[in-house]
Amino acid sequence: MTMITRRLADGERFTVSFSRIRSHHESYLDLHQRQGGLSHRFASSLSGETLLLTWSFLPGFGLLVASDGTWPEPDPADAHQSWCPSFMPLSIIDMQAGRHALKPFGKPFFLTAEIDTGRIFQDRTTISDWELFEFEASRKPVAQLLADVADQFGAILHARDDARGVLAALLAMPAPFQPALLSVMLDVLQPRVLSAFIALFVTDLHDGADLGSRDAARLLAAIPGGAWIMQGFEDLHAWRAGRRRSVAKADSRYDFLGLVNISEDDPAFRLGTRLLEEARRGFEPCHGLALLATARDEGLYLLEWIAHHRRIGVEQFFIYTNDLTDGSDDLLRCLAEAGEIVWIDNSGASPARINMQDKAYYHALSLLPEILDYRWCLVVDLDEVVLPAAHADYRLPPLLAAREQEGAVAVAMSWRVFNSNGHLTWAPGLSAERFVETERHPLIKTAFRTNLFSGSSAHHPMRSRDRSIAYMTVDGEAHKNGDLTDHDINFIARPTVNAMICHYHVRSLEEYVWKFARGENDGNGVLTTKHFRYNNPGIFELFTSRFEAGGPKPVLPLAEDIRCGIRRLSRLPGVVAAREGIERRFLEQSREFVEQSARIMSEDDRIAQETRDAWCGLVARWRDVRDPS
């Protein structure tokens, strides 16, 4: 290995070593400069250079640094433009005789170089000979910029017990290096110091008089496209100072949060969600349970849905909507002004490749401070209601408390699918009375600890770093490994009993058509001109084959409580007029959509003829009900 001696600002001398890492198979560890993935290659096929840096005052720690093999000359004038190597911190376990075992820093598993494939696995729990690596000298002299980086990173490591010292030392690095090294330090700092470090950013970042605020703002400004991260910290600061909102916006500035694969493709997104997740973790909630939902043109069901969930123990609703056409913005505004909900307008440019739900969930759980008032967050759509068991008095909080006592931070409940029960038209009655349960389904919905996650899918929460979490069903069954990359269907061995999700998937014929005329949250942007369109043929077959199916109505015991809740909401200013406007629009618009559906279905040869005939027969019956004359 190559070694150089350096001196810290206080005069202490230390040694930095630069090494290549050779595997048991005589290949070399290779960190990809852009993607950051690890592999191992023989010397003849290496296109870049991956070196391990170690410091004499911190044995057991190493930093992989990868470049394309050339380093620019140090030049403070251009700050090396935008060039940056890749970094990865490692734990080093000395196994004697010049051999070492390696782990990603802070992780329990060892690195393994698989023979013949070039792959590096990070899942070994024990050490065998082929898990060991040797260090050898780099092939060429250490570049001056790399030596300077080693020197400056040594200062960061030396200050690792002092949050302000770490911040100052990071700012001494070349600006393009700062985001990547900030990400490294989030893994390296001890929890106590990390909390103090993150707290430096929860401040008035525009306060030019405060040195700490200026330094924090400078570091955040080095993150490409990171203005949203700075805004997130400023909103946290304002919220901590007492600001509360009933209406907010997630406009086109935040559309990127819903772009497909952003969590894999965008390092600034990963870093931003990690920073904000760490900051939000430090806030202590003062209330119990919130519900987070997205909605578009579902005003018909809003009052019943709120009343139902108030009854089961939900204390506040955070509802994201976009591109409304049914008049429900008037109803949402009335409810928000009365404090019944927090309404977030999620409308934006809605480009292709955007998933509007993902955008809403990441915005809520990374950037919306108000939701941190609530210990638990439940993600449920407007066509779903949560039904806890009768023995819990149909209340969810006691069940969540029981699972939390057992260590869970996420609690799953399984779907039950509800069908039309022969209804052709919408009617003012409760969904609890109109529709029946016809199918049990392995998919789940999840309640989770709000401040521990930076996003969510429709079915389970997302973390910026650790995928493995303490995940249980509401019945107390633990997920086999807590790894959220495992599909939900593998989680639930049997339907949950202590609570279930009633999924009103189709409702009546005209409600089903209305739902599928508003567009699909499929990553193709927002359908701004509503029309009935082709969907999965299996759904049409399910609808027609089970249209007359009977079944239980498990929500009926709550019907009177729900009506009581609707009456209370209806006494709020403007609510009745807004609801009546929604109903009028539905009755006006749904007629054309149903007629569209008959024309489209009769001509669509992708759908079985039997299903097409059954559909057109239902539409004919619907005409008789809607216009009996």
Side-chain angles (χ1 to χ4, degrees):
M1 62 182 67
T2 303
M3 294 188 292
I4 60 175
T5 300
R6 295 298 195 189
R7 190 183 299 273
L8 294 166
D10 61 4
E12 180 182 343
R13 296 169 66 87
F14 65 93
T15 299
V16 186
S17 300
F18 303 80
S19 312
R20 292 198 298 169
I21 302 178
R22 189 175 71 246
S23 77
H24 181 76
H25 312 298
E26 302 299 324
S27 57
Y28 292 87
L29 211 60
D30 187 30
L31 177 65
H32 195 282
Q33 187 187 353
R34 298 195 181 279
Q35 282 80 28
L38 271 179
S39 61
H40 65 105
R41 304 173 187 273
F42 292 106
S44 59
S45 62
L46 289 171
S47 58
E49 180 181 56
T50 298
L51 295 177
L52 177 70
L53 279 58
T54 58
W55 290 262
S56 57
F57 62 80
L58 191 60
F61 174 82
L63 183 68
L64 282 182
V65 183
S67 73
D68 58 7
T70 60
W71 284 72
E73 290 298 319
D75 183 0
D78 66 12
H80 322 301
Q81 298 177 354
S82 61
W83 185 86
C84 179
S86 287
F87 302 97
M88 180 179 179
L90 295 178
S91 292
I92 303 169
I93 298 93
D94 190 332
M95 300 303 293
Q96 299 183 345
R99 300 193 300 173
H100 306 82
L102 303 176
K103 295 180 177 182
F105 190 84
K107 299 293 181 65
F109 302 117
F110 296 98
L111 302 185
T112 303
E114 184 178 65
I115 192 170
D116 295 333
T117 68
R119 292 184 295 181
I120 295 288
F121 290 97
Q122 303 180 25
D123 59 357
R124 292 288 293 183
T125 57
T126 58
I127 302 173
S128 300
D129 282 348
W130 55 89
E131 271 83 53
L132 298 180
F133 300 86
E134 297 182 13
F135 303 161
E136 65 177 46
S138 57
R139 292 177 293 177
K140 52 188 176 181
V142 175
Q144 184 58 55
L145 179 55
L146 177 56
D148 291 347
V149 167
D151 190 4
Q152 292 164 339
F153 194 76
I156 296 174
L157 292 176
H158 198 261
R160 67 190 181 279
D161 292 329
D162 173 17
R164 286 188 177 273
V166 170
L167 178 57
L170 278 170
L171 288 169
M173 283 287 187
F177 294 16
Q178 290 171 15
L181 292 174
L182 170 58
S183 183
V184 168
M185 293 312 297
L186 295 180
D187 291 333
V188 170
L189 294 177
Q190 293 293 323
R192 174 187 58 81
V193 184
L194 178 60
S195 296
F197 178 77
I198 294 295
L200 297 175
F201 298 87
V202 186
T203 183
D204 181 358
L205 295 170
H206 295 293
D207 183 3
D210 182 78
L211 179 61
S213 296
R214 291 207 308 268
D215 284 350
R218 281 178 58 202
L219 188 56
L220 293 176
I223 302 173
W228 64 277
I229 307 171
M230 189 177 297
Q231 186 63 55
F233 278 114
E234 290 177 340
D235 286 349
L236 275 176
H237 172 69
W239 176 74
R240 185 171 62 182
R243 184 200 68 180
R244 296 294 186 271
R245 299 174 296 188
S246 59
V247 179
K249 280 189 176 293
D251 55 29
S252 59
R253 293 173 297 167
Y254 301 103
D255 278 353
F256 72 93
L257 293 171
L259 292 178
V260 176
N261 296 327
I262 187 173
S263 59
E264 289 83 19
D265 297 342
D266 189 342
F269 172 82
R270 295 195 300 272
L271 178 56
T273 52
R274 174 79 190 280
L275 284 165
L276 291 164
E277 187 179 285
E278 293 289 351
R280 292 162 72 90
R281 189 188 299 267
F283 285 87
E284 188 63 31
C286 53
H287 298 291
L289 177 61
L291 194 155
L292 172 61
T294 61
R296 186 185 183 206
D297 293 349
E298 294 176 276
L300 282 175
Y301 315 110
L302 192 56
L303 296 183
E304 177 185 355
W305 184 83
I306 291 174
H308 175 102
H309 287 106
R310 286 275 187 218
R311 167 61 180 85
I312 70 159
V314 172
E315 297 167 69
Q316 186 56 288
F317 300 83
F318 293 86
I319 302 176
Y320 282 72
T321 65
N322 65 281
D323 304 277
L324 298 171
T325 67
D326 71 338
S328 55
D329 46 346
D330 292 336
L331 179 56
L332 289 158
R333 187 174 294 107
C334 293
L335 295 170
E337 290 173 353
E340 291 291 333
I341 66 171
V342 176
W343 176 31
I344 304 92
D345 183 355
N346 194 31
S347 299
S350 304
R353 294 183 60 246
I354 190 174
N355 182 301
M356 297 303 290
Q357 274 193 330
D358 286 352
K359 176 191 171 186
Y361 296 154
Y362 275 111
H363 184 273
L365 296 167
S366 290
L367 292 164
L368 191 70
E370 289 84 353
I371 202 170
L372 293 174
D373 264 333
Y374 300 87
R375 187 171 187 83
W376 287 89
C377 178
L378 175 65
V379 172
V380 173
D381 296 332
L382 266 289
D383 61 358
E384 300 166 330
V385 296
V386 180
L387 183 63
H391 71 77
D393 188 30
Y394 302 103
R395 289 182 54 78
L396 188 59
L399 300 172
L400 297 179
R403 301 292 79 80
E404 184 176 13
Q405 186 71 25
E406 297 164 357
V409 300
V411 176
M413 295 154 278
S414 56
W415 257 7
R416 309 287 179 90
V417 178
F418 285 61
N419 278 352
S420 296
N421 195 28
H423 290 282
L424 291 162
T425 60
W426 169 78
L430 301 180
S431 295
E433 296 173 318
R434 297 170 62 214
F435 306 116
V436 296
E437 179 189 347
T438 58
E439 180 185 356
R440 297 184 176 190
H441 199 285
L443 279 176
I444 60 168
K445 289 285 182 165
T446 306
F448 51 87
R449 289 283 307 281
T450 310
N451 66 348
L452 301 184
F453 299 91
S454 55
S456 182
S457 72
H459 299 282
H460 58 64
M462 302 286 198
R463 258 187 191 158
S464 65
R465 185 170 179 242
D466 296 325
R467 285 188 169 134
S468 294
I469 64 172
Y471 204 160
M472 288 184 178
T473 70
V474 71
D475 297 340
E477 295 179 302
H479 190 287
K480 58 182 178 294
N481 57 18
D483 185 351
L484 299 188
T485 59
D486 281 0
H487 194 272
D488 303 323
I489 203 168
N490 296 323
F491 184 5
I492 300 295
R494 59 180 181 176
T496 54
V497 173
N498 282 268
M500 66 181 184
I501 306 297
C502 304
H503 184 205
Y504 295 113
H505 181 47
V506 292
R507 292 188 166 106
S508 70
L509 174 73
E510 66 182 6
E511 290 169 273
Y512 171 77
V513 170
W514 171 271
K515 176 178 180 178
F516 283 95
R518 69 185 181 185
E520 185 85 5
N521 190 36
D522 56 4
N524 290 320
V526 173
L527 182 67
T528 54
T529 302
K530 292 172 60 175
H531 58 85
F532 184 79
R533 84 276 185 269
Y534 173 78
N535 195 262
N536 184 328
I539 296 179
F540 297 133
E541 293 168 9
L542 176 66
F543 186 89
T544 55
S545 66
R546 300 203 181 177
F547 181 72
E548 301 287 358
K553 299 180 178 180
V555 192
L556 273 182
L558 296 184
E560 189 50 46
D561 290 342
I562 294 169
R563 285 197 185 88
C564 181
I566 293 173
R567 290 194 296 270
R568 182 185 68 81
L569 293 170
S570 298
R571 290 192 286 269
L572 298 173
V575 164
V576 170
R579 185 194 65 202
E580 291 173 348
I582 291 168
E583 293 172 0
R584 282 195 302 272
R585 289 200 193 193
F586 172 80
L587 293 172
E588 292 166 2
Q589 296 179 19
S590 61
R591 182 186 298 274
E592 175 57 25
F593 293 147
V594 176
E595 295 293 356
Q596 281 179 8
S597 79
R599 293 193 297 270
I600 291 170
M601 293 286 280
S602 64
E603 299 169 359
D604 198 328
D605 58 10
R606 291 173 293 184
I607 303 169
Q609 187 64 51
E610 181 182 359
T611 299
R612 294 155 64 187
D613 292 343
W615 183 274
C616 291
L618 290 174
V619 171
R621 290 169 54 190
W622 166 84
R623 292 190 190 105
D624 292 337
V625 174
R626 278 292 296 260
D627 189 11
S629 62

